[in-house]
Amino acid sequence: MLTPYEPVGTLLAVPKSRLKSNSDRAFAIRALLLWNNLPEEIRLADSMPSFKSLLKTHFYRLALM
């Protein structure tokens, strides 16, 4: 019997890479790391416009620090 998928959290599993130099720079790895480093408030945004606004604010704050 199949059960509905229920996510445990908002973090994504980052696969281990064999090589430290090039593999860690691969988009598939970097994208997951960037997502996991975002504040939870941004990852849990209700809509795409809300997500974009929160993300933009987050990047502006980082640039001003």
Side-chain angles (χ1 to χ4, degrees):
M1 173 174 228
L2 296 175
T3 58
Y5 173 74
E6 295 181 26
V8 177
T10 59
L11 295 179
L12 302 173
V14 179
K16 298 286 183 195
S17 61
R18 294 179 314 180
L19 304 173
K20 278 293 180 193
S21 60
N22 291 333
S23 297
D24 286 345
R25 289 185 221 144
F27 177 79
I29 303 292
R30 296 301 300 168
L32 297 175
L33 290 171
L34 289 170
W35 176 261
N36 288 344
N37 287 331
L38 286 175
E40 190 173 18
E41 174 191 13
I42 297 172
R43 293 191 313 256
L44 294 174
D46 295 337
S47 64
M48 184 60 74
S50 175
F51 173 78
K52 288 180 179 182
S53 176
L54 290 168
L55 187 62
K56 187 176 180 180
T57 302
H58 174 68
F59 285 141
Y60 279 140
R61 286 185 184 149
L62 287 178
L64 295 176
M65 289 183 163

